[in-house]
Amino acid sequence: MPVSVLLVDDEPLVRAGLRAVLEAQPDLRVVGEAADGAAVIPLVRELRPDVVAMDVRMPLLDGIEATRAVLRTVQNPPKILVVTTFENDEYVYEALRAGADGFLLKRARPAEIVNAVRLVAEGESLLFPAAVRRLAGEHGGRHGNAEARAVLDRAALTEREAEVLGLMTRGLSNAEIAARLVVGTETVKSHVSAVLGKLGARDRTQAVILAYESGFVAPG
């Protein structure tokens, strides 16, 4: 089954460009479009996309609030890929904190766009880990707080789980973590699932954000 994608952007040319790039791939299918975040929830419920490519800045309801609304009100919500012009925008970091699974630059090359959608649909790899580290360094400090540290303390990660979380913050895939630790990928998958469960994180991105804000790992 092709990965189904909903495009949400107030610029028609951006939507048209993304549609052209994605629909050139046999495993990707654009199932709908919207010009504002306010239209996302009814379309998600009707179309059930696997991925929502969501502009972060829109006039009525921005990508941050739209992301929160989808995750709060939709059962089995889709993956959300934030589309942005500037990777160091605090809006991007806020969208990731709100539950977005990754982000994509509007100036990205077609191959990068396709790869980003595939990655976020699979849910395995954090997109652009170096950029996320920069965002955490620039914007994460103001969010780091005792609550995040308390979540990490309550999680009581084992030594190996903590090691896996540290490698996740560097953007390593399961296969790369397995090679680094000299274990099987299934073992790594089990450790990643345990980390997400203990942290109460929806996905790897949320776990990495919490790792930065709790002080578990220093950005940069």
Side-chain angles (χ1 to χ4, degrees):
M1 289 286 291
V3 173
S4 57
V5 184
L6 172 65
L7 304 178
V8 185
D9 197 295
D10 62 336
E11 298 181 37
L13 286 178
V14 172
R15 298 199 307 272
L18 288 173
R19 177 182 282 274
V21 168
L22 297 176
E23 292 198 331
Q25 304 300 314
D27 61 329
L28 303 176
R29 180 169 59 99
V30 175
V31 294
E33 297 184 16
D36 194 86
V40 170
I41 289 180
L43 283 175
V44 165
R45 287 175 172 159
E46 175 189 352
L47 302 172
R48 303 303 302 177
D50 299 308
V51 176
V52 177
M54 180 109 69
D55 188 14
V56 72
R57 292 177 181 264
M58 292 177 286
L60 297 178
L61 190 69
D62 64 34
I64 301 169
E65 291 305 321
T67 294
R68 290 193 180 110
V70 168
L71 298 182
R72 186 175 62 246
T73 63
V74 176
Q75 284 191 330
N76 300 316
K79 300 292 186 179
I80 297 178
L81 181 61
V82 172
V83 182
T84 179
T85 303
F86 306 107
E87 66 183 41
N88 63 347
D89 192 339
E90 185 177 3
Y91 274 67
V92 175
Y93 193 75
E94 289 294 346
L96 294 175
R97 292 186 78 246
D101 301 279
F103 70 91
L104 171 68
L105 295 176
K106 290 186 179 182
R107 66 176 182 271
R109 296 187 298 270
E112 293 172 330
I113 294 170
V114 168
N115 188 51
V117 171
R118 287 174 177 155
L119 282 176
V120 81
E122 293 167 2
E124 180 175 314
S125 294
L126 178 69
L127 299 177
F128 310 117
V132 173
R133 284 198 293 274
R134 286 197 299 273
L135 284 167
E138 293 169 12
H139 307 298
R142 73 193 65 176
H143 300 295
N145 52 46
E147 182 179 351
R149 289 191 291 273
V151 170
L152 191 68
D153 290 342
R154 287 196 301 270
L157 299 180
T158 66
E159 183 177 348
R160 178 46 61 91
E161 289 165 353
E163 191 173 10
V164 168
L165 177 58
L167 294 173
M168 287 165 60
T169 68
R170 296 169 62 183
L172 273 63
S173 67
N174 286 347
E176 290 167 334
I177 293 173
R180 183 69 58 90
L181 300 180
V182 196
V183 298
T185 54
E186 291 302 318
T187 298
V188 172
K189 287 181 181 179
S190 296
H191 287 315
V192 170
S193 294
V195 169
L196 297 185
K198 288 183 176 183
L199 295 179
R202 175 176 179 247
D203 54 29
R204 297 166 77 102
T205 301
Q206 303 310 305
V208 169
I209 294 292
L210 188 145
Y212 285 125
E213 293 191 357
S214 67
F216 174 83
V217 63

